[in-house]
Amino acid sequence: MDLKELAVNALAQNKKASLLVGAAGAALLGFGLGYKYMRKPEKAVRVGVVSQILIYPLKSGKAVPVSVAECQRLGLKAGELQDRHWLVVTEEGNMVTARQQPRLVLVSLSCKGGYTYLNGPDMEELKFPVQQPDNQIHNCRVFSKDIQGRDCGDEASHWLTSYLGGEKTYRLVHFEPKMKPRKLSAVETLSLQFEVAYPDYGPVMLLSEASVGDLSSKLDQKVTTERFRPNLVIGDCKPFDEDSWEEIQIGSVRLQRVMSCGRCLLTTVDPETGVMSRKEPLETLKSYRMCKPSETHIYQKSPLFGQLHNVKKTGVIHVGDEVYKITH
């Protein structure tokens, strides 16, 4: 075969390949356009406004109200405070909450200038560094899941042990960024997985003012939102509207509902006194906020109040931001 024939054959092959690539590209373009127009566009409907942002640095500790917070994968953060990133444990590493020690709800943990501050009734303020890299790392147990925590030192341990009383020794641990969070799955949708530090379940808990008002109207003594320990309190909506918000947008933040929040004895602890009644408002919630029979394997006998959300898109949330329900 001479040079001329080789050139003609090469040209023919290139032309054929170009035609095939062009056809494939056109097919892909057509599929893409078809998918674009087949897919239903998102619709955003205003459903309320953020009226409060609450961070609980210490699990079961006192709430810290803030006007603005970063919404990260593991929950809310404001300055050096991160939601439920400090935990009280026994010497064996088992978590201690207000279910066992109701007076924990009166303990305030704050951070400033690289230092952590502990305050509680009839206790002197304790100050210690946030970062203590030489301290021991404990293997802790939070709801049957293992998770690490950096020990906050003997002074913090003595402070908590003195405050809580009894014969047990308590220690304070801190979840650090390099540590591995707990991986959880939503029971209803096993494909949805998310990570948390020390929260019970779900990085962000949301509750509406109207739902708390509806419950209060059924009680002899009114309750406040702080009793239910939400991160985001939503105003300008009807009672239990939040139950139907599968996906919401707040500023640049996108939250996806994980499941309802099943309530326990912790709701019977008065956040102002640290006294547990073991009755209200839990008994009233049980009278009208139980799950559907088909969901008893998930929630069992716990009444539902508030919604747990996963962080689908991070960003910043301000008090006063409008809340939009996303539908497809």
Side-chain angles (χ1 to χ4, degrees):
M1 187 178 290
D2 61 20
L3 187 59
K4 183 178 179 181
E5 286 179 313
L6 285 171
V8 169
N9 284 339
L11 185 61
Q13 290 292 332
N14 287 340
K15 187 175 181 181
K16 185 178 179 182
S18 297
L19 287 170
L20 287 171
V21 171
L28 287 170
L29 180 61
F31 175 78
L33 289 171
Y35 177 74
K36 178 181 177 182
Y37 289 108
M38 284 170 59
R39 187 177 56 182
K40 293 180 179 178
E42 285 187 348
K43 184 180 178 182
V45 180
R46 185 188 182 280
V47 291
V49 63
V50 177
S51 60
Q52 281 183 283
I53 302 173
L54 300 167
I55 293 179
Y56 307 85
L58 173 65
K59 185 174 178 66
S60 279
K62 204 165 188 177
V64 178
V66 296
S67 58
V68 59
E70 295 177 56
C71 191
Q72 302 183 336
R73 296 291 180 193
L74 297 184
L76 300 187
K77 181 178 186 293
E80 296 176 82
L81 294 180
Q82 290 183 273
D83 190 67
R84 295 167 173 94
H85 270 51
W86 282 263
L87 174 71
V88 178
V89 296
T90 63
E91 286 187 295
E92 296 75 31
N94 295 316
M95 74 169 180
V96 178
T97 72
R99 299 171 184 87
Q100 300 87 33
Q101 293 286 351
R103 292 182 72 242
L104 264 180
V105 301
L106 304 179
V107 175
S108 170
L109 187 150
S110 59
C111 295
K112 186 178 179 181
Y115 285 90
T116 307
Y117 298 84
L118 277 179
N119 282 280
D122 303 319
M123 297 290 292
E124 287 189 15
E125 181 178 75
L126 179 67
K127 172 186 174 183
F128 55 91
V130 174
Q131 303 296 332
Q132 301 187 70
D134 296 330
N135 285 6
Q136 181 183 352
I137 293 178
H138 296 285
N139 290 316
C140 307
R141 196 78 170 162
V142 177
F143 289 113
S144 75
K145 292 275 187 180
D146 291 326
I147 187 168
Q148 292 181 323
R150 176 82 66 182
D151 194 283
C152 292
D154 289 340
E155 286 189 341
S157 175
H158 295 327
W159 193 97
L160 284 167
T161 300
S162 174
Y163 174 74
L164 295 175
E167 299 177 356
K168 286 187 178 181
T169 297
Y170 298 98
R171 303 203 70 86
L172 182 66
V173 297
H174 177 214
F175 183 84
E176 298 177 337
K178 65 181 180 180
M179 292 177 178
K180 191 176 180 180
R182 288 155 57 226
K183 284 186 179 293
L184 302 175
S185 295
V187 180
E188 304 100 320
T189 53
L190 293 175
S191 60
L192 176 60
Q193 291 195 332
F194 50 93
E195 296 179 334
V196 293
Y198 302 139
D200 287 5
Y201 208 86
V204 177
M205 209 280 274
L206 179 150
L207 182 63
S208 73
E209 291 177 342
S211 297
V212 177
D214 182 87
L215 173 61
S216 281
S217 70
K218 296 173 169 57
L219 298 169
D220 292 334
Q221 292 186 326
K222 294 184 183 298
V223 289
T224 61
T225 53
E226 284 80 6
R227 182 177 288 250
F228 306 99
R229 309 183 69 77
N231 295 117
L232 299 177
V233 181
I234 310 301
D236 198 21
C237 65
K238 294 179 181 178
F240 310 112
D241 273 359
E242 64 269 31
D243 295 357
S244 65
W245 303 341
E246 293 298 323
E247 196 168 330
I248 58 174
Q249 185 88 24
I250 307 173
S252 61
V253 174
R254 182 71 64 96
L255 301 177
Q256 183 175 12
R257 179 183 174 274
V258 172
M259 63 192 297
S260 298
C261 188
R263 294 302 181 165
C264 65
L265 277 175
L266 191 51
T267 60
T268 71
V269 179
D270 188 329
E272 299 298 322
T273 64
V275 174
M276 178 187 282
S277 72
R278 306 187 74 86
K279 291 184 178 181
E280 293 295 359
L282 191 60
E283 291 303 315
T284 297
L285 280 173
K286 286 181 178 179
S287 71
Y288 79 120
R289 288 294 298 169
M290 299 304 291
C291 68
K292 301 173 186 176
S294 60
E295 295 178 331
T296 51
H297 67 290
I298 301 169
Y299 303 109
Q300 279 125 40
K301 296 180 180 179
S302 298
L304 312 181
F305 201 63
Q307 299 295 323
L308 295 164
H309 283 257
N310 183 38
V311 181
K312 196 171 180 181
K313 186 180 178 184
T314 60
V316 176
I317 296 177
H318 302 79
V319 169
D321 280 350
E322 294 185 320
V323 182
Y324 292 89
K325 180 171 75 171
I326 305 299
T327 57
H328 298 274

